[in-house]
Amino acid sequence: MAGSKAAVEEIEVAGHTVRLSSPDRVIFPQRGFTKADVFHYYLSVGEGIMRALRDRPTTLQRFPEGIEGEAFFQKRVPARGVPPWVSTAEISFPSGRKAAELCPADLAHVAWAAQMGTVVFHPWPVRAADVDRPDELRIDLDPQPGTDFTHAATAAGELRGLLDELGVTGWPKTSGGRGVHVYLRIQPRWTFVEVRRATIALARELERRRPELVTTAWWKEERGTRVFVDFNQMARDRTIACAYSLRANGRATVSTPVEWAELPDVDPDDLHLGSVPARYAERGDPHTGIDDAPWDITPLLEWAERDAAAGQGDMPYPPEYPKMPGEPKRVQPSKDRDRPRA
């Protein structure tokens, strides 16, 4: 994609005028992609990324000078200098503090964020109508050292079989790196704590079926050469790059929705800023039906109760969280003096 030579452009997006300044600024030096390329990339996948972002509080990962420059996560929309049409939603962090985050109502919000140097979009798994009850359950399959995307794709295939047994459709995408994400649309009836418990139960069942491939061990020293199911991505204020978001790496990869049938043969490095628009134009969005049948997670909560009765209760939260009810000790196993020794 070629960058514009104009100093400032004004572009109509979703009925709003969005400024594009410094369009020739290089954002991805290894590939030569500019700010204009990033801006127009997001317009080219507009319906797809809005399916992922619409009405979701969204943290912006901004790189004003490009991905090799200073970066920061913006969780609060500035009080000044923001177009009057920009929508926000108030969210609460684990600390109890609150913030008004960008809440995209249309594609102009995405374009405005790209103008502000946003490369990666990190939406919450909730909608503005109820920011405390997730409508999206996210399974993050994270390859550990000694494993790669092929292992994550294999684990995702096993997960698909498990979801088929439960009667629910999973929607896979590449992470933009070595991992795989699988999303479930769920009924927004449960709290973050409950949805996280459901995710842990699902992860444990997957681990039971393929213990040599999958692990739920929170501590890295216990994971081995397996694919980690990062259940804490369902904790409050933990987010994942959304479908069609660029990733901040030299290859300019995209977290790309894929069909289940193609997942085993995908090379994530082939899905990047330069290639995804053509793929999207030719094939459409594999996640088109994701909103059609929100699922009742009661079966997973029943599994969680079963596991708790068998002695498998909650798992540790991330270190920045307050101590949560029922949570085990946050002590690295090799440093836990009270841990039984074999």
Side-chain angles (χ1 to χ4, degrees), residues 266-324:
V266 163
D267 183 342
D269 285 347
D270 289 340
L271 302 171
H272 54 76
L273 187 155
S275 65
V276 168
R279 169 189 165 91
Y280 184 87
E282 178 183 352
R283 304 175 60 167
D285 180 12
H287 284 192
T288 295
I290 194 171
D291 292 311
D292 291 350
W295 187 53
D296 179 343
I297 66 171
T298 298
L300 298 185
L301 294 174
E302 291 173 348
W303 286 3
E305 293 298 326
R306 173 202 66 189
D307 291 346
Q312 287 188 306
D314 203 356
M315 301 279 271
Y317 274 77
E320 69 272 17
Y321 276 64
K323 184 69 174 179
M324 300 294 287

Side-chain angles (χ1 to χ4, degrees), residues 222-284:
E222 295 186 324
R223 293 178 187 170
T225 53
R226 292 177 287 179
V227 176
F228 171 51
V229 185
D230 190 355
F231 51 85
N232 269 330
Q233 293 292 6
M234 281 311 306
R236 181 185 289 273
D237 193 34
R238 297 284 282 220
T239 58
I240 299 176
C242 74
Y244 296 105
S245 176
L246 292 163
R247 303 309 308 270
N249 57 49
R251 304 178 305 283
T253 57
V254 172
S255 185
T256 308
V258 295
E259 301 282 356
W260 280 111
E262 67 177 317
L263 181 60
D265 300 317
V266 163
D267 183 342
D269 285 347
D270 289 340
L271 302 171
H272 54 76
L273 187 155
S275 65
V276 168
R279 169 189 165 91
Y280 184 87
E282 178 183 352
R283 304 175 60 167

Side-chain angles (χ1 to χ4, degrees), residues 19-306:
R19 295 177 71 254
L20 173 59
S21 62
S22 304
D24 292 326
R25 178 176 295 149
V26 176
I27 304 299
F28 291 94
Q30 291 184 34
R31 303 297 300 270
F33 293 136
T34 66
K35 185 177 177 181
D37 293 332
V38 171
F39 186 98
H40 290 290
Y41 161 76
Y42 280 121
L43 298 188
S44 75
V45 295
E47 184 178 348
I49 197 166
M50 285 308 302
R51 186 170 288 114
L53 289 179
R54 189 180 303 278
D55 297 330
R56 296 192 185 280
T58 301
T59 300
L60 307 177
Q61 189 175 1
R62 293 175 56 188
F63 297 80
E65 301 301 323
I67 64 164
E68 295 182 359
E70 182 180 357
F72 61 96
F73 287 89
Q74 182 170 330
K75 296 189 176 185
R76 290 175 171 82
V77 171
R80 300 178 180 178
V82 176
W85 45 264
V86 167
S87 297
T88 62
E90 185 176 81
I91 46 87
S92 298
F93 300 115
S95 65
R97 293 181 297 110
K98 298 181 182 294
E101 284 205 333
L102 183 72
C103 190
D106 55 39
L107 189 57
H109 288 69
V110 178
W112 173 79
Q115 152 63 16
M116 299 292 288
T118 300
V119 171
V120 189
F121 290 84
H122 295 267
W124 283 46
V126 300
R127 307 276 188 176
D130 191 341
V131 296
D132 293 315
R133 296 184 184 275
D135 75 328
E136 189 167 75
L137 189 154
R138 301 167 175 176
I139 303 107
D140 180 6
L141 300 171
D142 182 13
Q144 299 303 290
T147 63
D148 57 21
F149 180 83
T150 300
H151 297 91
T154 301
E158 295 291 335
L159 174 64
R160 184 191 186 189
L162 181 53
L163 296 177
D164 285 345
E165 293 176 23
L166 289 165
V168 59
T169 299
W171 303 86
K173 67 183 180 71
T174 67
S175 69
R178 299 185 307 130
V180 174
H181 302 153
V182 180
Y183 284 9
L184 310 180
R185 282 290 192 268
I186 64 174
Q187 298 170 10
R189 295 166 45 193
W190 297 274
T191 65
F192 274 96
V193 169
E194 291 169 320
V195 176
R196 178 178 172 275
R197 285 184 63 215
T199 306
I200 291 172
L202 181 61
R204 281 175 168 156
E205 185 63 25
L206 184 62
E207 181 181 34
R208 290 186 191 103
R209 298 187 180 200
R210 292 295 304 271
E212 83 293 353
L213 175 66
V214 173
T215 180
T216 61
W218 175 246
W219 301 103
K220 291 183 179 180
E221 65 185 33
E222 295 186 324
R223 293 178 187 170
T225 53
R226 292 177 287 179
V227 176
F228 171 51
V229 185
D230 190 355
F231 51 85
N232 269 330
Q233 293 292 6
M234 281 311 306
R236 181 185 289 273
D237 193 34
R238 297 284 282 220
T239 58
I240 299 176
C242 74
Y244 296 105
S245 176
L246 292 163
R247 303 309 308 270
N249 57 49
R251 304 178 305 283
T253 57
V254 172
S255 185
T256 308
V258 295
E259 301 282 356
W260 280 111
E262 67 177 317
L263 181 60
D265 300 317
V266 163
D267 183 342
D269 285 347
D270 289 340
L271 302 171
H272 54 76
L273 187 155
S275 65
V276 168
R279 169 189 165 91
Y280 184 87
E282 178 183 352
R283 304 175 60 167
D285 180 12
H287 284 192
T288 295
I290 194 171
D291 292 311
D292 291 350
W295 187 53
D296 179 343
I297 66 171
T298 298
L300 298 185
L301 294 174
E302 291 173 348
W303 286 3
E305 293 298 326
R306 173 202 66 189

